Structure formats: C-alpha cells, structure tokens
Amino acid sequence: TNTTTIRSLHPYYTYRCSVAAYTIGEGPQNQPPVIIETPQDVPSAPPENIITTDVSTTYVRLNWTPPPTEHHNGVITGYVVRVTMANTQESYNLTSNTAELL
C-alpha cells in the first residue's frame, strides 16, 4: 500500500483526485477520479460594512454584509453580535440568522 498526504486544501471544496503509476513515463490515471469533499470550517473573515441606523434611546438597528464569498468556508447560517457596555465591560451575545439585527 502506498500513501500520500495532500495538504493546503480549502474548507468546503470538492476535489477530484486520480493516481497514475510512473516508470519511464506516466501510466493511465485511475478512472473515475476519487471525489474528496472537505468539511465546512468557520469563516476566515468578519462581516463587512457594519452600519447603525434608527438610533433611539432604547434601541439601534445594526446592518452588515456577509464576509466575502471566498471566506465563507461553508454555508453561513447566522451571526453572533457581541454587545459590551463601555462603562462596565459587561457583555452579552445576540444571535441573528439575517444580516440585520434590531
């Protein structure tokens, strides 16, 4: 049995892999190629274009765009917004499955 490790793959990608033997030249590739699907990973970039609108004394609307597509590393199913009170450093998380939180 022969083994090799393929490195530097991207998360959430599909690859086709084939192998050929080599002597004085390359022989035929195995058919069909083996399909390799790498699992999802966490996004590798944060959301962008974060803006606040509709600021009042009791709420603010927060809008953003998803991270760039090449940094999704899977299917984005939601967002976590961390809110920290500046004077006490007390914080809590809010979750949203859209790019808007009110």
Side-chain angles (χ1 to χ4, degrees):
T1 301
N2 295 292
T3 303
T4 191
T5 300
I6 303 169
R7 300 191 186 282
S8 301
L9 300 178
H10 298 282
Y12 202 61
Y13 269 64
T14 300
Y15 295 90
R16 290 188 191 100
C17 185
S18 58
V19 179
Y22 189 91
T23 56
I24 61 170
E26 185 178 312
Q29 301 274 329
N30 65 292
Q31 292 296 326
V34 174
I35 303 299
I36 301 167
E37 294 179 345
T38 56
Q40 295 188 79
D41 199 358
V42 298
S44 54
E48 298 181 328
N49 305 311
I50 300 169
I51 60 168
T52 58
T53 59
D54 299 332
V55 179
S56 83
T57 57
T58 59
Y59 73 88
V60 62
R61 183 182 303 269
L62 194 62
N63 294 84
W64 61 87
T65 56
T69 303
E70 65 271 17
H71 293 285
H72 284 195
N73 297 333
V75 177
I76 294 180
T77 59
Y79 298 90
V80 175
V81 177
R82 174 159 291 217
V83 179
T84 304
M85 294 175 32
N87 58 344
T88 65
Q89 297 304 309
E90 179 182 337
S91 66
Y92 56 94
N93 292 337
L94 304 171
T95 58
S96 174
N97 59 0
T98 66
E100 179 180 302
L101 189 65
L102 175 62

